[in-house]
């Protein structure tokens, strides 16, 4: 069973290690986390970051940063020279509030240009299984409709669930009248809006709800009345060998 997935885009950067770890797999013991609140704040990692309300951490230290997810997007980022890395938690609320804008701005603050970013989006619930209500779509449309209003881009939601040929478990049941939201498409549109080209972004891993492996799905656990689990996604700098 698939327990860890990785990004070839990030793996190609010298001095950077990372992993999208399945539920029950431990992140590096020294990894720094923050207190995630589904917001937009991205902060510089410190040893006491777990006490700080934020949804992303950036660092240049030789200590990994990590986020916890269970359907939301785990987003790992690095400068192309490996000098700065970041881990970001992106649920629909955080994306709506602008956590991706904050993450890109955090790299700009340390003089990393947009074209120097390398980004991996890991296992998360996909549009095949993520049904949301009209209230969620209304909030997203009010905040982000400019991303598809004047461009050849469709809104990242539909009345029809997307097909998923990689599913190995049952897809989420339709509850009626909802929209199927594509968090990955929304995130990529927001990165593009920040000046990040799609060639700088890699999407890895399958849907956490219906895909293979032991990746955590809050929604599946809720539907199946199981104990909630979560997964770690981490990235860190490592000293280059002499």
């Amino acid at each position: 069973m698939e327990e860890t997935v990785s990004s070839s885009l990030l793996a190609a950067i010298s001095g950077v290690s990372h992993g999208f770890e399945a539920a029950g797999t431990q992140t590096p013991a020294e990894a720094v986390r923050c207190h995630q609140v589904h917001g937009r704040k991205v902060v510089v990692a410190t040893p006491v970051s777990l006490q700080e309300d934020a949804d992303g951490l950036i660092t240049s230290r030789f200590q990994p940063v990590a986020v916890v997810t269970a359907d939301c997007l785990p987003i790992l980022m690095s400068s192309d020279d490996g000098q700065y890395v970041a881990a970001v938690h992106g649920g629909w609320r955080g994306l709506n509030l602008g956590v991706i804008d904050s993450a890109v701005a955090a790299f700009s603050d340390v003089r990393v240009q947009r074209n120097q970013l390398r980004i991996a989006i890991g296992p998360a619930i996909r549009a095949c299984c993520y049904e949301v209500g009209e209230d969620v779509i209304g909030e997203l449309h009010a905040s982000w409709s400019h991303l598809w209003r004047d461009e050849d881009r469709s809104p990242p939601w539909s009345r029809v669930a997307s097909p998923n040929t990689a599913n190995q478990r049952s897809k989420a049941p339709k509850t009626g009248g909802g929209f199927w939201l594509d968090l990955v498409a929304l995130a990529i549109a927001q990165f593009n809006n920040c000046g990040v080209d799609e060639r700088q972004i890699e999407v890895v891993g399958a849907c956490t709800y219906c895909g293979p492996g032991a990746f955590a799905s809050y929604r599946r656990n809720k539907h199946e009345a199981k104990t909630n689990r979560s997964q770690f996604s981490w990235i860190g700098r490592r000293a280059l060998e002499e």
Side-chain angles (χ1 to χ4, degrees), residues 39-40 42 73 75 77 88 90 94-95 97-106 121 144 183 186-192 194:
R40 62 166 290 149
V42 176
L73 300 182
I75 303 171
M77 306 173 65
V88 180
L95 295 181
L97 291 172
V99 70
I100 284 177
D101 293 53
S102 297
V104 174
I121 300 173
W144 298 99
L183 288 176
L186 177 58
I188 290 175
Q190 291 176 336
F191 274 120
N192 292 166
C194 290

mmCIF file of all heavy atoms in Angstrom, residues 39-40 42 73 75 77 88 90 94-95 97-106 121 144 183 186-192 194:
data_model
loop_
_atom_site.group_PDB
_atom_site.id
_atom_site.type_symbol
_atom_site.label_atom_id
_atom_site.label_comp_id
_atom_site.label_asym_id
_atom_site.label_seq_id
_atom_site.Cartn_x
_atom_site.Cartn_y
_atom_site.Cartn_z
ATOM 1 N N GLY A 39 -6.632 29.630 7.913
ATOM 2 C CA GLY A 39 -6.502 31.045 7.604
ATOM 3 C C GLY A 39 -5.521 31.267 6.469
ATOM 4 O O GLY A 39 -5.246 30.368 5.677
ATOM 5 N N ARG A 40 -4.952 32.495 6.420
ATOM 6 C CA ARG A 40 -4.060 32.858 5.312
ATOM 7 C C ARG A 40 -2.639 33.173 5.768
ATOM 8 O O ARG A 40 -1.772 33.456 4.950
ATOM 9 C CB ARG A 40 -4.611 34.071 4.565
ATOM 10 C CG ARG A 40 -4.740 35.337 5.376
ATOM 11 C CD ARG A 40 -4.952 36.544 4.447
ATOM 12 N NE ARG A 40 -3.755 36.857 3.676
ATOM 13 C CZ ARG A 40 -3.770 37.383 2.458
ATOM 14 N NH1 ARG A 40 -4.921 37.636 1.852
ATOM 15 N NH2 ARG A 40 -2.642 37.650 1.829
ATOM 16 N N VAL A 42 1.156 32.987 6.801
ATOM 17 C CA VAL A 42 2.366 32.181 6.610
ATOM 18 C C VAL A 42 3.486 32.871 7.365
ATOM 19 O O VAL A 42 3.724 34.071 7.177
ATOM 20 C CB VAL A 42 2.720 32.049 5.119
ATOM 21 C CG1 VAL A 42 4.031 31.295 4.930
ATOM 22 C CG2 VAL A 42 1.589 31.349 4.353
ATOM 23 N N LEU A 73 -5.419 20.566 0.859
ATOM 24 C CA LEU A 73 -4.202 20.493 0.058
ATOM 25 C C LEU A 73 -2.964 20.641 0.929
ATOM 26 O O LEU A 73 -2.822 21.630 1.651
ATOM 27 C CB LEU A 73 -4.174 21.617 -0.978
ATOM 28 C CG LEU A 73 -5.285 21.692 -2.013
ATOM 29 C CD1 LEU A 73 -5.014 22.866 -2.958
ATOM 30 C CD2 LEU A 73 -5.404 20.402 -2.793
ATOM 31 N N ILE A 75 0.743 21.654 0.495
ATOM 32 C CA ILE A 75 1.523 22.330 -0.536
ATOM 33 C C ILE A 75 2.949 22.518 -0.021
ATOM 34 O O ILE A 75 3.155 23.145 1.027
ATOM 35 C CB ILE A 75 0.911 23.699 -0.886
ATOM 36 C CG1 ILE A 75 -0.554 23.524 -1.326
ATOM 37 C CG2 ILE A 75 1.718 24.381 -1.980
ATOM 38 C CD1 ILE A 75 -1.313 24.836 -1.475
ATOM 39 N N MET A 77 6.834 23.902 -0.967
ATOM 40 C CA MET A 77 7.435 24.879 -1.863
ATOM 41 C C MET A 77 8.927 25.007 -1.575
ATOM 42 O O MET A 77 9.372 24.810 -0.443
ATOM 43 C CB MET A 77 6.769 26.251 -1.675
ATOM 44 C CG MET A 77 5.259 26.230 -1.827
ATOM 45 S SD MET A 77 4.448 27.807 -1.405
ATOM 46 C CE MET A 77 5.112 28.895 -2.678
ATOM 47 N N VAL A 88 2.646 24.478 3.380
ATOM 48 C CA VAL A 88 1.411 25.257 3.461
ATOM 49 C C VAL A 88 0.209 24.326 3.506
ATOM 50 O O VAL A 88 0.158 23.319 2.783
ATOM 51 C CB VAL A 88 1.291 26.205 2.245
ATOM 52 C CG1 VAL A 88 -0.001 27.021 2.313
ATOM 53 C CG2 VAL A 88 2.506 27.140 2.159
ATOM 54 N N GLY A 90 -3.758 24.101 2.758
ATOM 55 C CA GLY A 90 -4.731 24.819 1.952
ATOM 56 C C GLY A 90 -6.069 24.125 1.829
ATOM 57 O O GLY A 90 -6.279 23.344 0.902
ATOM 58 N N GLY A 94 -8.886 28.508 3.632
ATOM 59 C CA GLY A 94 -7.587 29.153 3.518
ATOM 60 C C GLY A 94 -7.328 29.665 2.107
ATOM 61 O O GLY A 94 -6.797 30.768 1.915
ATOM 62 N N LEU A 95 -7.700 28.870 1.093
ATOM 63 C CA LEU A 95 -7.547 29.323 -0.282
ATOM 64 C C LEU A 95 -8.410 30.551 -0.532
ATOM 65 O O LEU A 95 -7.996 31.502 -1.204
ATOM 66 C CB LEU A 95 -7.931 28.203 -1.254
ATOM 67 C CG LEU A 95 -7.045 26.954 -1.249
ATOM 68 C CD1 LEU A 95 -7.552 25.959 -2.289
ATOM 69 C CD2 LEU A 95 -5.594 27.295 -1.534
ATOM 70 N N LEU A 97 -9.283 32.787 1.606
ATOM 71 C CA LEU A 97 -8.727 33.942 2.316
ATOM 72 C C LEU A 97 -7.409 34.422 1.721
ATOM 73 O O LEU A 97 -6.975 35.540 2.009
ATOM 74 C CB LEU A 97 -8.537 33.594 3.799
ATOM 75 C CG LEU A 97 -9.823 33.416 4.603
ATOM 76 C CD1 LEU A 97 -9.505 32.876 5.997
ATOM 77 C CD2 LEU A 97 -10.589 34.737 4.716
ATOM 78 N N GLY A 98 -6.745 33.571 0.913
ATOM 79 C CA GLY A 98 -5.531 34.009 0.250
ATOM 80 C C GLY A 98 -4.246 33.445 0.797
ATOM 81 O O GLY A 98 -3.202 34.098 0.726
ATOM 82 N N VAL A 99 -4.261 32.215 1.298
ATOM 83 C CA VAL A 99 -3.039 31.643 1.865
ATOM 84 C C VAL A 99 -1.960 31.456 0.797
ATOM 85 O O VAL A 99 -0.758 31.573 1.096
ATOM 86 C CB VAL A 99 -3.345 30.309 2.596
ATOM 87 C CG1 VAL A 99 -3.704 29.194 1.631
ATOM 88 C CG2 VAL A 99 -2.177 29.903 3.486
ATOM 89 N N ILE A 100 -2.363 31.210 -0.442
ATOM 90 C CA ILE A 100 -1.362 31.072 -1.509
ATOM 91 C C ILE A 100 -0.695 32.410 -1.792
ATOM 92 O O ILE A 100 0.535 32.483 -1.964
ATOM 93 C CB ILE A 100 -2.004 30.456 -2.763
ATOM 94 C CG1 ILE A 100 -2.194 28.951 -2.543
ATOM 95 C CG2 ILE A 100 -1.163 30.733 -4.019
ATOM 96 C CD1 ILE A 100 -2.879 28.220 -3.651
ATOM 97 N N ASP A 101 -1.455 33.479 -1.836
ATOM 98 C CA ASP A 101 -0.863 34.810 -1.983
ATOM 99 C C ASP A 101 0.146 35.074 -0.868
ATOM 100 O O ASP A 101 1.233 35.619 -1.110
ATOM 101 C CB ASP A 101 -1.945 35.889 -1.949
ATOM 102 C CG ASP A 101 -2.875 35.845 -3.152
ATOM 103 O OD1 ASP A 101 -3.435 34.761 -3.424
ATOM 104 O OD2 ASP A 101 -3.053 36.882 -3.806
ATOM 105 N N SER A 102 -0.215 34.677 0.362
ATOM 106 C CA SER A 102 0.677 34.890 1.504
ATOM 107 C C SER A 102 1.956 34.086 1.366
ATOM 108 O O SER A 102 3.046 34.558 1.703
ATOM 109 C CB SER A 102 -0.035 34.512 2.803
ATOM 110 O OG SER A 102 -1.151 35.344 3.036
ATOM 111 N N ALA A 103 1.836 32.853 0.870
ATOM 112 C CA ALA A 103 3.021 31.998 0.710
ATOM 113 C C ALA A 103 3.970 32.574 -0.332
ATOM 114 O O ALA A 103 5.190 32.627 -0.115
ATOM 115 C CB ALA A 103 2.591 30.587 0.327
ATOM 116 N N VAL A 104 3.434 32.992 -1.462
ATOM 117 C CA VAL A 104 4.276 33.579 -2.497
ATOM 118 C C VAL A 104 4.917 34.866 -1.991
ATOM 119 O O VAL A 104 6.103 35.133 -2.231
ATOM 120 C CB VAL A 104 3.459 33.829 -3.780
ATOM 121 C CG1 VAL A 104 4.284 34.584 -4.815
ATOM 122 C CG2 VAL A 104 2.965 32.504 -4.369
ATOM 123 N N ALA A 105 4.156 35.669 -1.241
ATOM 124 C CA ALA A 105 4.686 36.910 -0.675
ATOM 125 C C ALA A 105 5.801 36.634 0.322
ATOM 126 O O ALA A 105 6.769 37.402 0.415
ATOM 127 C CB ALA A 105 3.563 37.703 -0.013
ATOM 128 N N ALA A 106 5.682 35.524 1.079
ATOM 129 C CA ALA A 106 6.719 35.182 2.055
ATOM 130 C C ALA A 106 8.049 34.907 1.360
ATOM 131 O O ALA A 106 9.120 35.258 1.871
ATOM 132 C CB ALA A 106 6.286 33.963 2.875
ATOM 133 N N ILE A 121 1.933 19.946 -5.014
ATOM 134 C CA ILE A 121 0.647 19.796 -4.326
ATOM 135 C C ILE A 121 0.409 18.307 -4.157
ATOM 136 O O ILE A 121 0.409 17.544 -5.131
ATOM 137 C CB ILE A 121 -0.492 20.431 -5.132
ATOM 138 C CG1 ILE A 121 -0.224 21.929 -5.344
ATOM 139 C CG2 ILE A 121 -1.830 20.220 -4.428
ATOM 140 C CD1 ILE A 121 -1.219 22.608 -6.274
ATOM 141 N N TRP A 144 -12.940 35.278 -5.943
ATOM 142 C CA TRP A 144 -11.975 34.870 -6.954
ATOM 143 C C TRP A 144 -12.517 34.787 -8.372
ATOM 144 O O TRP A 144 -11.804 34.319 -9.269
ATOM 145 C CB TRP A 144 -11.380 33.504 -6.568
ATOM 146 C CG TRP A 144 -10.647 33.571 -5.274
ATOM 147 C CD1 TRP A 144 -11.103 33.202 -4.049
ATOM 148 C CD2 TRP A 144 -9.334 34.096 -5.073
ATOM 149 N NE1 TRP A 144 -10.168 33.448 -3.087
ATOM 150 C CE2 TRP A 144 -9.060 34.005 -3.691
ATOM 151 C CE3 TRP A 144 -8.366 34.625 -5.919
ATOM 152 C CZ2 TRP A 144 -7.850 34.418 -3.140
ATOM 153 C CZ3 TRP A 144 -7.163 35.041 -5.376
ATOM 154 C CH2 TRP A 144 -6.924 34.938 -3.999
ATOM 155 N N LEU A 183 -10.169 21.664 -5.647
ATOM 156 C CA LEU A 183 -9.227 22.491 -4.889
ATOM 157 C C LEU A 183 -7.910 22.671 -5.629
ATOM 158 O O LEU A 183 -7.298 23.742 -5.569
ATOM 159 C CB LEU A 183 -8.965 21.866 -3.518
ATOM 160 C CG LEU A 183 -10.076 21.922 -2.481
ATOM 161 C CD1 LEU A 183 -9.652 21.155 -1.227
ATOM 162 C CD2 LEU A 183 -10.417 23.361 -2.115
ATOM 163 N N LEU A 186 -8.262 25.320 -8.291
ATOM 164 C CA LEU A 186 -8.335 26.629 -7.659
ATOM 165 C C LEU A 186 -6.959 27.101 -7.226
ATOM 166 O O LEU A 186 -6.575 28.254 -7.456
ATOM 167 C CB LEU A 186 -9.287 26.571 -6.459
ATOM 168 C CG LEU A 186 -9.419 27.859 -5.633
ATOM 169 C CD1 LEU A 186 -9.895 29.019 -6.487
ATOM 170 C CD2 LEU A 186 -10.355 27.633 -4.441
ATOM 171 N N ALA A 187 -6.191 26.210 -6.609
ATOM 172 C CA ALA A 187 -4.849 26.579 -6.146
ATOM 173 C C ALA A 187 -3.945 26.952 -7.316
ATOM 174 O O ALA A 187 -3.207 27.949 -7.251
ATOM 175 C CB ALA A 187 -4.236 25.427 -5.352
ATOM 176 N N ILE A 188 -3.998 26.183 -8.399
ATOM 177 C CA ILE A 188 -3.150 26.477 -9.549
ATOM 178 C C ILE A 188 -3.536 27.820 -10.163
ATOM 179 O O ILE A 188 -2.668 28.623 -10.547
ATOM 180 C CB ILE A 188 -3.238 25.342 -10.582
ATOM 181 C CG1 ILE A 188 -2.547 24.088 -10.028
ATOM 182 C CG2 ILE A 188 -2.604 25.758 -11.915
ATOM 183 C CD1 ILE A 188 -2.684 22.866 -10.915
ATOM 184 N N ALA A 189 -4.836 28.103 -10.239
ATOM 185 C CA ALA A 189 -5.281 29.397 -10.757
ATOM 186 C C ALA A 189 -4.759 30.539 -9.894
ATOM 187 O O ALA A 189 -4.356 31.596 -10.404
ATOM 188 C CB ALA A 189 -6.807 29.430 -10.829
ATOM 189 N N GLN A 190 -4.748 30.346 -8.586
ATOM 190 C CA GLN A 190 -4.246 31.382 -7.684
ATOM 191 C C GLN A 190 -2.741 31.546 -7.815
ATOM 192 O O GLN A 190 -2.226 32.674 -7.788
ATOM 193 C CB GLN A 190 -4.645 31.049 -6.246
ATOM 194 C CG GLN A 190 -6.143 31.164 -6.007
ATOM 195 C CD GLN A 190 -6.546 30.750 -4.611
ATOM 196 O OE1 GLN A 190 -5.858 29.981 -3.937
ATOM 197 N NE2 GLN A 190 -7.680 31.250 -4.153
ATOM 198 N N PHE A 191 -2.012 30.454 -7.964
ATOM 199 C CA PHE A 191 -0.576 30.568 -8.202
ATOM 200 C C PHE A 191 -0.308 31.304 -9.515
ATOM 201 O O PHE A 191 0.571 32.168 -9.593
ATOM 202 C CB PHE A 191 0.083 29.187 -8.235
ATOM 203 C CG PHE A 191 0.485 28.657 -6.885
ATOM 204 C CD1 PHE A 191 -0.038 27.462 -6.409
ATOM 205 C CD2 PHE A 191 1.407 29.337 -6.105
ATOM 206 C CE1 PHE A 191 0.343 26.968 -5.168
ATOM 207 C CE2 PHE A 191 1.792 28.853 -4.863
ATOM 208 C CZ PHE A 191 1.261 27.665 -4.392
ATOM 209 N N ASN A 192 -1.047 30.954 -10.561
ATOM 210 C CA ASN A 192 -0.891 31.649 -11.839
ATOM 211 C C ASN A 192 -1.141 33.143 -11.677
ATOM 212 O O ASN A 192 -0.427 33.974 -12.256
ATOM 213 C CB ASN A 192 -1.862 31.085 -12.876
ATOM 214 C CG ASN A 192 -1.567 29.661 -13.309
ATOM 215 O OD1 ASN A 192 -2.407 29.021 -13.922
ATOM 216 N ND2 ASN A 192 -0.387 29.144 -12.987
ATOM 217 N N CYS A 194 -0.537 34.881 -9.175
ATOM 218 C CA CYS A 194 0.610 35.460 -8.471
ATOM 219 C C CYS A 194 1.848 35.532 -9.362
ATOM 220 O O CYS A 194 2.907 35.995 -8.915
ATOM 221 C CB CYS A 194 0.947 34.639 -7.229
ATOM 222 S SG CYS A 194 -0.255 34.757 -5.909
#
